[in-house]
Each structure stands twice: as structure tokens, then as C-alpha cells.
Amino acid sequence: MDKPLLDFGRARIVKGRGFSIQLPLAERLRAARGFRQAVVKVTGFGRGTRGVGKAMDYISRDGALPLEKDSGELIKGRDEQKALIKEWSMDFDGHERSRDTAQIVFSMPPGSKVEALRKAVRATGERAFPDHEWVFAMHEDRKHPHAHMMVKMRGKEKGKKLQLRKADLRELRGLFAEASREQGVMLAASPRAARGIGPTAERQAIYRLRQKGIIPNVERATVKEILSEAERGPLQEKPWEKAMRERNERERGLYREEAEKLRARAAGKEGQGDPERKETLLHAAHDLELFATAMPRPKSRRQAMLEKAQAKTPEKTKDRTKSQGAELER
């Protein structure tokens, strides 16, 4: 392969813009039929020999787990790890904020075969990072098997470094989902917005604060914002909330458009003379249309908090919003 399948140097997507998501019909069908979603996360970046060493110790469980290289060679034990890091470090940038490696986690649903995951991760690495060195380790200490991959940011030809951004994760997930399906694990890789899901789950740090009974600062700020706005009049939809709503409406329309196209195919030459094919097309059209109708309407954190307060506050007076704010603060 001359070029990687992913362009990690492209421009960022403007946050909050209500763009339509370009998805192939097959991926929309997988979303409509509730396929499990492929899980791919960038968990961090290694900086310098020391930082990369700590990250490699973590994914190898201090050398207890073998690391599989892009070449297929196995790295066993900490001595071999140190030798590999020394070799890689010749291409490290040498400054404090340098991103010399990226750590990526690939996860499959509980019950998936570990060998299927191993082959899928290897295939993903080969397709996504053909010009880069990488290693990965298999972890089986949880219900869902997962693998930790470390990719060297500087290419084999000492060319341009990877610019691994959040926008690229969707394509990386797509490659992993495809490789997983090749191993018999039926995963999808549709974006949250294409499934009617709003903001991502709360960060681990916020979750831990909540477990300790501490109200995160981000929630306090949201409550103050709601109360301040309520004093000026009825709460208004924010620009990003409007963009989220409009995008959701567009996504529903796209599912319905695909359903209509399938019905047209069933009524045309493709469906004539082949009752089984016609039934398949009509069944797929029905699934898409049903999903478009049932798709959730995403909410921002602000909208979710206000809705929760409204459900707990029965008063219907002009001071209702202030009561909701007090409820939120509690």
C-alpha cells in the first residue's frame, strides 16, 4: 500500500456545525438494526523516552505480556522493550511537549474471541498505519477483550508526523469495524449523531468526583448559566443546541430517503422476477424508516439538567425556573 487509508493531517471540523454525515447504506442499516458499535479510543500520547517507557510498561503489564510488532515479531520482557524504545527514540523530537507515540485502545463486546480481536487489530494497524511502526498487547482481564496499541508518530521514512485528531477516530473505527466483521464479529461504526445520541459520556474525572459526592465545577457553571438566563426571561435554545437539533432532523430525513430508494429498487428491475431480493429490499427499507421514527432526540448537558429539574419540580408558578435552579444546585 503506497498511502495510508486515513488522512491524519486534514483540517478540523468546526465544533457545533450542523453538518450532515455521509454514511454508506450498509452502515445506516447496521445502525438501524442495532449492531454493537466498535470501540476505539485514543487514551494518550507518550513524550520522550521516559513517557513512552511508562506507557509501554502499562500496556505490557511491566513486561508480563508480549507486544506484537507491525512486522509480526514478538517483544517479550522489559529488556526487549527497552531496546525497542531506544531504537524508536532516535526519531523522537526531544522537546517537552513532543508527541512521540499515540496510545489507542480497541475493544470488542463481551464473549468475543480473543484471536478474532488480535487479527482485527493487526489488520487495522496495517491498513491505517502502513508507514509507521507500532506494537500492541492483548488484555483479557475484563469481560470485553481489548487491545492496547502504541503507534510511533514519526513515519518509517522519517517523514511527516501523524496528526491524530478526534475527527479521524470515526474513520479508524470504520476500519476496525470492517476488520472485526471479517473475523465474524458484527460491529458497526456509525457516529453518535447518526444514531440520535447527544454529547459523549462524562469524563472519567467527572464520574469519580460524582462518586465522592462532589458536584463538578462544570455542572455548577451550567446551573449558574441557567439561573442567570432565567432571570432575563424564558430560556432560549443555544446555537449549538439548534445545530444539534437540525442535524438530528437531517439525519432522520436521510434514513427516510434511503428507505425510499430501496422501495424504488424493489419496484424496479432489481425486484422484478426475484421475490426474495424484493423482500430483502423492502425489509431493509422498513428497518430504516422505523429507525428514523424512533431515533432519539439528543440533548445538551444544559437541556438534560433542566429537563431533570423540571421532572422533579411540580410547581407551575412564575418562580418555577428559580425552583428548578435550586433543585439543580442540590
Side-chain angles (χ1 to χ4, degrees):
M1 184 182 296
D2 296 328
K3 294 181 179 180
L5 293 180
L6 306 187
D7 177 11
F8 292 113
R10 68 187 180 193
R12 295 173 182 265
I13 295 174
V14 177
K15 185 177 181 180
R17 180 169 294 172
F19 56 89
S20 294
I21 298 168
Q22 301 301 316
L23 280 183
L25 172 60
E27 193 58 54
R28 287 199 181 277
L29 272 171
R30 284 190 280 269
R33 289 171 174 171
F35 276 44
R36 286 179 177 268
Q37 294 292 317
V39 177
V40 179
K41 298 179 180 179
V42 176
T43 58
F45 297 91
R47 295 175 170 84
T49 302
R50 184 177 180 183
V52 172
K54 285 184 177 181
M56 197 171 286
D57 280 342
Y58 174 77
I59 70 173
S60 71
R61 295 291 190 259
D62 291 323
L65 300 176
L67 299 175
E68 187 170 334
K69 288 186 65 178
D70 56 291
S71 62
E73 177 187 355
L74 292 181
I75 303 298
K76 299 180 179 179
R78 297 192 72 187
D79 288 342
E80 292 188 10
Q81 284 181 199
K82 289 178 181 178
L84 178 63
I85 294 171
K86 184 177 180 180
E87 179 184 330
W88 281 12
S89 67
M90 296 176 68
D91 294 325
F92 291 174
D93 286 346
H95 57 82
E96 186 178 350
R97 298 185 62 82
S98 169
R99 291 181 171 183
D100 296 309
T101 63
Q103 285 72 256
I104 307 171
V105 175
F106 299 87
S107 180
M108 279 187 176
S112 302
K113 294 181 179 179
V114 175
E115 183 60 15
L117 172 63
R118 190 193 70 78
K119 290 181 178 179
V121 170
R122 168 158 286 283
T124 302
E126 290 172 348
R127 295 167 189 175
F129 312 113
D131 298 324
H132 292 261
E133 294 181 76
W134 40 265
V135 296
F136 69 91
M138 306 297 298
H139 286 200
E140 304 175 50
D141 54 345
R142 296 183 182 178
K143 292 182 179 179
H144 57 281
H146 57 286
H148 290 256
M149 177 180 282
M150 177 179 286
V151 183
K152 192 173 111 178
M153 302 291 276
R154 185 72 65 184
K156 293 178 183 177
E157 301 301 323
K158 295 181 173 50
K160 192 174 180 180
K161 289 179 70 174
L162 289 178
Q163 298 296 318
L164 195 57
R165 301 184 177 104
K166 290 182 180 180
D168 299 298
L169 273 178
R170 180 178 147 201
E171 292 179 69
L172 191 57
R173 285 179 64 230
L175 289 179
F176 177 56
E178 179 183 34
S180 298
R181 293 194 297 272
E182 292 170 357
Q183 299 302 320
V185 182
M186 305 309 291
L187 297 182
S190 50
R192 298 173 67 88
R195 291 174 279 134
I197 301 176
T200 57
E202 63 188 10
R203 295 181 179 178
Q204 188 69 15
I206 293 178
Y207 172 79
R208 288 175 179 171
L209 286 174
R210 200 189 308 283
Q211 290 293 98
K212 295 178 181 179
I214 301 173
I215 300 176
N217 288 336
V218 65
E219 288 192 6
R220 293 182 185 275
T222 303
V223 170
K224 288 181 179 178
E225 178 187 350
I226 293 173
L227 291 175
S228 176
E229 188 176 342
E231 291 177 355
R232 299 192 297 271
L235 296 178
Q236 300 296 317
E237 185 178 53
K238 297 293 185 182
W240 61 88
E241 293 168 344
K242 179 182 178 183
M244 189 163 54
R245 173 176 54 78
E246 290 177 346
R247 183 169 59 184
N248 183 259
E249 292 168 356
R250 276 196 291 273
E251 289 304 313
R252 291 171 188 272
L254 289 171
Y255 279 98
R256 292 191 173 99
E257 286 178 17
E258 293 286 7
E260 287 303 313
K261 290 177 183 177
L262 289 176
R263 288 197 176 92
R265 288 167 57 183
K269 292 182 179 180
E270 192 173 348
Q272 292 177 358
D274 189 346
E276 186 175 344
R277 178 60 177 168
K278 181 177 182 179
E279 181 62 27
T280 298
L281 292 170
L282 291 175
H283 180 62
H286 174 267
D287 288 346
L288 290 170
E289 198 162 64
L290 188 64
F291 183 72
T293 302
M295 182 191 289
R297 298 187 183 278
K299 302 179 184 66
S300 66
R301 180 188 292 108
R302 171 178 171 274
Q303 289 172 324
M305 291 177 69
L306 184 58
E307 187 176 277
K308 182 178 179 181
Q310 288 174 334
K312 290 184 177 181
T313 309
E315 294 85 0
K316 294 183 179 180
T317 67
K318 60 183 179 181
D319 295 326
R320 181 176 182 179
T321 305
K322 292 183 179 179
S323 298
Q324 292 164 0
E327 181 67 29
L328 282 171
E329 289 187 312
R330 289 198 292 273

